[in-house]
């Protein structure tokens, strides 16, 4: 059980909840906690409720959730590689390209990966019980239990972590300890996305990637990408572990064609993001993940061939019939 000593600690706790949970969920959690505090006041266990004056909403709820671009996700992932290593790099990409919750990803164990279908199993996310992080007996909702297939590039990046795994969880700290959301967000996630444009050392200054972007907003990003690419709602909902409203949940089902479409559009977004990066960023990517070197070379060759073909067609189109 977490014990709060004063108002500021409660405000800090609420702020940390926003790193993973939707604003409506944070409001619900805080309302329950506030009710307990009010009961304690009436029972004269505490003199006054410390919940008075706590700011619960961020002003970014509902439609205001931020959506990152594939390039932004990759840039933040590279910064996490610098601060947290290869695990941080892959975790950031999983957030953007699967839309899985923090507890679902950091709870992953090597045996929960399907090598044939390139999919992670989400059934027992990490949960906190009596101050300890343990595998939960069940996911957040019945529909949260699912398999999430990885696009080919992400499977290529994720599998080396499994080969090197020395601990029960895939994503752990430097000493093998389990990751805590608040600590990770404060020390690694926020600096990667927010940057530090005012750092006194010019060599340490870096512009924001997308200021204030939270881990939970990776879910909004994933669903938005799929919607933009024309993936049916039933397939988007299944990937994120959501339940469709009304009769759609009864009569609509995910088909193999839909699953293939999801993987295809995500792979395309990744490849487009690689070509959009600067040369120095591509060098950093190869340093972080050498297996990406061949993929980058193939993409650049394909791009050059496409540009050459366009140029040839343009020249032919400019030749008049009499000249031909």
């Amino acid at each position: 059980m977490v014990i709060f000593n004063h108002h500021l600690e409660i405000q800090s706790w609420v702020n940390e909840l926003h790193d993973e949970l939707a604003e409506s969920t944070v409001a619900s959690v805080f309302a329950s906690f506030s009710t307990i505090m009010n009961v304690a006041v009436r029972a004269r266990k505490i003199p006054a409720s410390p919940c008075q004056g706590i700011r619960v909403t961020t002003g970014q709820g509902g439609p205001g959730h931020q959506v990152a671009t594939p390039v932004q996700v990759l840039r933040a992932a590279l910064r996490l590689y610098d601060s947290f290593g290869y695990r941080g790099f892959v975790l950031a990409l999983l957030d953007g390209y699967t839309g899985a919750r923090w507890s679902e990803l950091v709870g992953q164990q090597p045996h929960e990966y399907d090598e044939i279908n390139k999919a992670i199993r989400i059934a027992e996310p990490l949960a906190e019980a009596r101050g300890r992080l343990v595998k939960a007996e069940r996911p957040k909702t019945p529909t949260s239990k699912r398999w999430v297939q990885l696009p080919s590039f992400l499977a290529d990046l994720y599998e080396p972590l499994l080969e090197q795994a020395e601990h029960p969880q895939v994503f752990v700290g430097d000493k093998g300890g389990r990751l805590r959301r608040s600590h990770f967000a404060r020390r690694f996630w926020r600096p990667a996305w927010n940057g530090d444009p005012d750092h006194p050392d010019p060599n340490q200054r870096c512009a924001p990637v997308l200021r204030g972007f939270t881990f939970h907003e990776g879910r909004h990003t994933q669903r938005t990408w799929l919607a933009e690419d024309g993936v049916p709602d039933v397939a988007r909902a299944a990937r994120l572990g959501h339940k469709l409203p009304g009769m759609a949940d009864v009569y609509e089902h995910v088909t193999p064609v839909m699953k293939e479409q999801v993987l295809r559009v995500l792979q395309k977004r990744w490849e487009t993001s690689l070509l959009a990066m600067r040369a120095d960023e591509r060098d950093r990517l190869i340093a972080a993940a050498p297996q990406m070197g061949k993929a980058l070379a193939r993409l650049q060759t394909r791009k050059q061939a496409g540009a050459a073909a366009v140029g040839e067609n343009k020249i032919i189109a400019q030749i008049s019939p009499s000249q031909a």
Side-chain angles (χ1 to χ4, degrees):
M1 178 180 293
V2 179
I3 302 298
F4 297 109
N5 293 321
H6 50 70
H7 173 95
L8 292 178
E9 289 188 358
I10 296 178
Q11 184 65 72
S12 177
W13 168 64
V14 171
N15 292 345
E16 290 169 359
L17 289 179
H18 283 287
D19 291 332
E20 181 182 3
L21 304 177
E23 187 148 301
S24 59
T25 305
V26 174
S28 178
V29 170
F30 180 76
S32 298
F33 178 74
S34 182
T35 298
I36 294 172
M37 293 297 98
N38 289 334
V39 170
V41 171
R42 290 196 296 271
R44 297 185 179 180
K45 299 296 184 181
I46 56 177
S49 171
C51 295
Q52 296 296 324
I54 297 295
R55 183 173 60 85
V56 180
T57 61
T58 64
Q60 298 178 347
H65 282 296
Q66 297 189 97
V67 173
T69 66
V71 173
Q72 288 172 326
V73 170
L74 179 49
R75 284 178 174 148
L78 287 172
R79 288 185 180 179
L80 278 159
Y81 174 80
D82 294 337
S83 62
F84 194 76
Y86 189 75
R87 289 190 184 95
F89 171 71
V90 176
L91 182 58
L93 293 176
L94 282 169
D95 177 53
Y97 282 87
T98 69
R101 300 176 177 90
W102 164 267
S103 58
E104 294 171 341
L105 291 177
V106 298
Q108 283 297 305
Q109 296 183 323
H111 70 270
E112 294 178 307
Y113 181 67
D114 181 347
E115 294 184 12
I116 296 177
N117 295 302
K118 309 297 182 183
I120 56 175
R121 175 177 176 266
I122 295 177
E124 300 170 343
L126 212 58
E128 186 167 341
R130 297 181 180 178
R132 297 178 61 247
L133 293 174
V134 297
K135 291 282 275 184
E137 296 181 359
R138 61 184 65 86
K140 183 177 180 180
T141 64
T143 53
S144 295
K145 188 175 182 179
R146 65 201 188 279
W147 286 92
V148 179
Q149 284 187 284
L150 307 182
S152 59
F153 86 88
L154 193 50
D156 291 341
L157 293 170
Y158 184 63
E159 288 175 0
L161 282 178
L162 306 181
E163 297 169 1
Q164 304 165 9
E166 300 177 350
H167 306 282
Q169 265 69 44
V170 176
F171 297 103
V172 294
D174 290 339
K175 298 180 180 179
R178 291 179 173 175
L179 299 181
R180 291 185 178 272
R181 182 186 68 243
S182 59
H183 178 266
F184 185 84
R186 183 173 60 254
R187 287 200 57 190
F188 306 105
W189 186 265
R190 291 175 193 159
W193 285 92
N194 293 348
D196 192 356
D198 301 319
H199 197 284
D201 183 354
N203 295 323
Q204 298 296 320
R205 290 174 193 162
C206 54
V209 174
L210 183 58
R211 190 182 297 277
F213 187 83
T214 66
F215 199 93
H216 185 78
E217 284 175 319
R219 289 176 64 75
H220 297 273
T221 293
Q222 171 74 176
R223 185 144 188 168
T224 301
W225 287 358
L226 297 181
E228 288 179 343
D229 291 329
V231 174
D233 194 28
V234 63
R236 305 199 304 265
R239 188 165 180 84
L240 273 72
H242 289 161
K243 181 178 180 180
L244 286 176
M247 296 304 292
D249 189 58
V250 177
Y251 291 106
E252 294 185 23
H253 305 282
V254 182
T255 66
V257 173
M258 293 178 189
K259 293 180 180 179
E260 180 59 34
Q261 181 187 9
V262 168
L263 298 179
R264 185 174 64 254
V265 299
L266 291 177
Q267 182 71 23
K268 184 177 180 180
R269 281 183 175 266
W270 166 256
E271 293 175 355
T272 301
S273 74
L274 295 184
L275 294 175
M277 300 198 81
R278 302 187 304 268
D280 64 302
E281 292 174 324
R282 294 176 192 167
D283 291 341
R284 290 175 60 203
L285 173 62
I286 294 175
Q291 63 268 46
M292 288 290 107
K294 292 182 178 179
L296 265 170
R298 285 196 301 269
L299 285 173
Q300 290 173 321
T301 299
R302 190 192 311 168
K303 181 180 179 181
Q304 291 169 356
V310 170
E312 291 175 2
N313 292 336
K314 186 175 181 180
I315 292 174
I316 293 173
Q318 290 173 343
I319 299 176
S320 67
S322 59
Q323 291 174 317

